[in-house]
Amino acid sequence: EAQVTQNPRYLITVTGKKLTVTCSQNMNHEYMSWYRQDPGLGLRQIYYSMNVEVTDKGDVPEGYKVSRKEKRNFPLILESPSPNQTSLYFCASSLTRLLKGSYNEQFFGPGTRLTVL
Amino acid sequence: RKEVEQDPGPFNVPEGATVAFNCTYSNSASQSFFWYRQDCRKEPKLLMSVYSSGNEDGRFTAQLNRASQYISLLIRDSKLSDSATYLCVVNEYHYGGSQGNLIFGKGTKLSVKP
C-alpha cells in the first residue's frame, strides 16, 4: 500500500531532551516536507527537500533540523525541544518538486502529536 | 507575507443543502490550486485540483478566478460524511523562480446535520 508513515504517533517529552520524528514514504517520491499545525494558524511548512541531500527552510524552521540521506526517509530532529514546539506535525511527500503549473498531489502521513513539558 | 485567506466557519448546514466555500490568495504568481479535506485529528487529503476552466467531480465543483485571485468550492446535496475542514491550497511562486511551495489556508469547518 502506497503510504507515508510517521513515528511516533504520540510523544510527550520534556524541555531540552533531543528527539527525532521519523518519516518514510514508499512511493519513490522526490519531494518531501514537514509541516506543523496549530489551532488558528493552520499548516505551516518547517523544512522541505527536493531530493536526496537537498533540503531547504520553510516558513518556521527555527528549532528544527532535517536530513535526507535516502530518498524514502526524511527525519525531523528537535535538538532541544521547547514548549512552543508542542504541536501536531505532518510529513508529506509528492512525486516531484512543485514545478510551475504542476498539480502533483501531496500525500500526508498520519501525524505526530508532540507535547513538550 | 503571501497569504491564503478562508472564512473559518463553522458552516452548519442540514443534509441535502448546498454550501459554498470561498478562498482568496494574495500572490498573483500562483500557478496551481487545490482543495484538501481534513477530518478531525487526521491528515489532510486531496479533494480536488482547481483548473482554470473550472472542474466538477460528482457533487463537488471548483472554480478559479485569476483576475480576482479567488477560488471557490461548491458542495451540492451535502452528506453527513462531508463534515470536515476544507483547506484551500495554493502553489506559490516568486517571480522568476521555478520552485514553489504549497501555502495552506487555515481551513473552513463544515458540519452537516441530519
Side-chain angles (χ1 to χ4, degrees), chain B residues 77-89:
Chain B
D77 189 23
S78 317
K79 312 290 184 193
L80 296 176
S81 57
D82 293 335
S83 296
T85 296
Y86 292 82
L87 306 174
C88 176
V89 185

Side-chain angles (χ1 to χ4, degrees), chain A residues 31 37 98-100 102 106, chain B residues 32 36 38 43 50 93 101:
Chain A
Y31 184 93
Q37 187 172 36
L98 302 176
L99 298 173
K100 269 184 182 174
S102 73
Q106 279 218 340
Chain B
S32 311
Y36 275 69
Q38 186 174 22
E43 71 273 24
V50 186
Y93 291 88
N101 281 311

Side-chain angles (χ1 to χ4, degrees), chain B residues 8-24:
Chain B
F11 284 37
N12 297 309
V13 304
E15 264 187 300
T18 295
V19 61
F21 303 135
N22 302 319
C23 169
T24 58

Side-chain angles (χ1 to χ4, degrees), chain A residues 31 35 37 40-43 45 48 50 59 90 97-106 108-110 113, chain B residues 1 31-34 36 38 41-44 46 49-51 91 93 97-102 104 106:
Chain A
Y31 184 93
Y35 298 89
Q37 187 172 36
L41 296 176
L43 276 161
Q45 190 177 51
Y48 65 93
M50 290 192 283
D59 295 318
F90 288 105
R97 63 191 183 120
L98 302 176
L99 298 173
K100 269 184 182 174
S102 73
Y103 280 86
N104 289 325
E105 178 179 357
Q106 279 218 340
F108 285 80
R113 190 166 291 278
Chain B
R1 172 73 174 92
Q31 295 279 327
S32 311
F33 310 89
F34 310 86
Y36 275 69
Q38 186 174 22
R41 297 177 179 275
K42 300 279 192 179
E43 71 273 24
L46 179 66
S49 302
V50 186
Y51 302 115
N91 198 356
Y93 291 88
S98 62
Q99 171 60 35
N101 281 311
L102 292 185
F104 287 79
K106 294 176 185 175

Side-chain angles (χ1 to χ4, degrees), chain A residues 1-103:
Chain A
E1 181 191 353
Q3 59 183 350
V4 179
T5 56
Q6 293 178 229
N7 282 292
R9 295 288 314 281
Y10 304 90
L11 179 60
I12 300 174
T13 190
V14 294
T15 298
K17 187 176 181 182
K18 180 180 179 180
L19 67 93
T20 299
V21 184
T22 64
C23 173
S24 182
Q25 50 91 7
N26 62 1
M27 295 170 278
N28 201 36
H29 284 171
E30 288 185 358
Y31 184 93
M32 297 185 75
S33 183
W34 275 103
Y35 298 89
R36 60 178 289 173
Q37 187 172 36
D38 303 287
L41 296 176
L43 276 161
R44 294 178 293 166
Q45 190 177 51
I46 303 170
Y47 268 95
Y48 65 93
S49 169
M50 290 192 283
N51 215 324
V52 175
E53 302 291 2
V54 181
T55 63
D56 210 344
K57 296 178 180 178
D59 295 318
V60 288
E62 295 78 21
Y64 304 95
K65 286 173 61 176
V66 293
S67 68
R68 187 93 182 273
K69 295 184 171 56
E70 309 163 279
K71 201 171 189 178
R72 62 184 295 130
N73 296 322
F74 189 45
L76 179 70
I77 302 154
L78 285 73
E79 294 272 3
S80 182
S82 62
N84 65 11
Q85 291 178 299
T86 293
S87 187
L88 177 58
Y89 291 87
F90 288 105
C91 179
S93 73
S94 64
L95 187 60
T96 63
R97 63 191 183 120
L98 302 176
L99 298 173
K100 269 184 182 174
S102 73
Y103 280 86

